[in-house]
Amino acid sequence: MTPPPELAPLEVSESPVDKFREYLEIRGEKLTEQRRKLVDHIFNSHKHFDADELVSDLRHSGSRVSRSTVYRTLRLMVDAGLLRELRLTNRTAYEHNYGYPSHDHMHCTGCGTIVEFRNDSIRRIREEIGDQFGFRADNHRFIITGMCPECLRARSRRRKLDQI
């Protein structure tokens, strides 16, 4: 199976930091140095992560950000439209929402791998269903759960050993 091509970032008019600053100002809050570090760190690479992984990454990079600040800031970043929350089988993961095209996911319940993909048929179905009910659909979340090829191969080898 060939993995789907990586999704390319979209052109955006504001940086993630500027967009977050604007969102916070509307709420009467400030973009603190810790919050700015979080946004910079998260948008420095495109990957799926959970809060604990983010805390660990920050510690390894030498950034001093408290766990409670990480959790509160992630919630604010989701509310601001910068991040998207993915509720998976055994954890909640986050990914970039701002500056990335709409897409869907496959989640391996064996190893936890998350694969992004785009499929125009899914978008057409979303629009058709919306039209059918007079609903203007502007987004959706679609996560296929199952086993990736590597986990299926490993599982198959274990089963053969069980037969000995």
Side-chain angles (χ1 to χ4, degrees), residues 89-90 107-113 145-148 150-152 158:
T89 307
N90 55 357
H107 174 237
C108 177
T109 55
C111 66
T113 298
T145 58
M147 304 276 290
C148 71
E150 291 80 20
C151 288
L152 286 171
R158 281 193 306 269

Side-chain angles (χ1 to χ4, degrees), residues 84-97:
R84 183 156 83 155
E85 193 175 57
L86 302 172
R87 295 185 190 261
L88 305 173
T89 307
N90 55 357
R91 69 185 181 122
T92 297
Y94 298 89
E95 70 169 347
H96 299 169
N97 191 32

Side-chain angles (χ1 to χ4, degrees), residues 104-121:
D104 298 297
H105 300 87
M106 289 183 285
H107 174 237
C108 177
T109 55
C111 66
T113 298
I114 300 170
V115 177
E116 298 178 330
F117 69 93
R118 290 181 58 99
N119 183 293
D120 290 333
S121 297

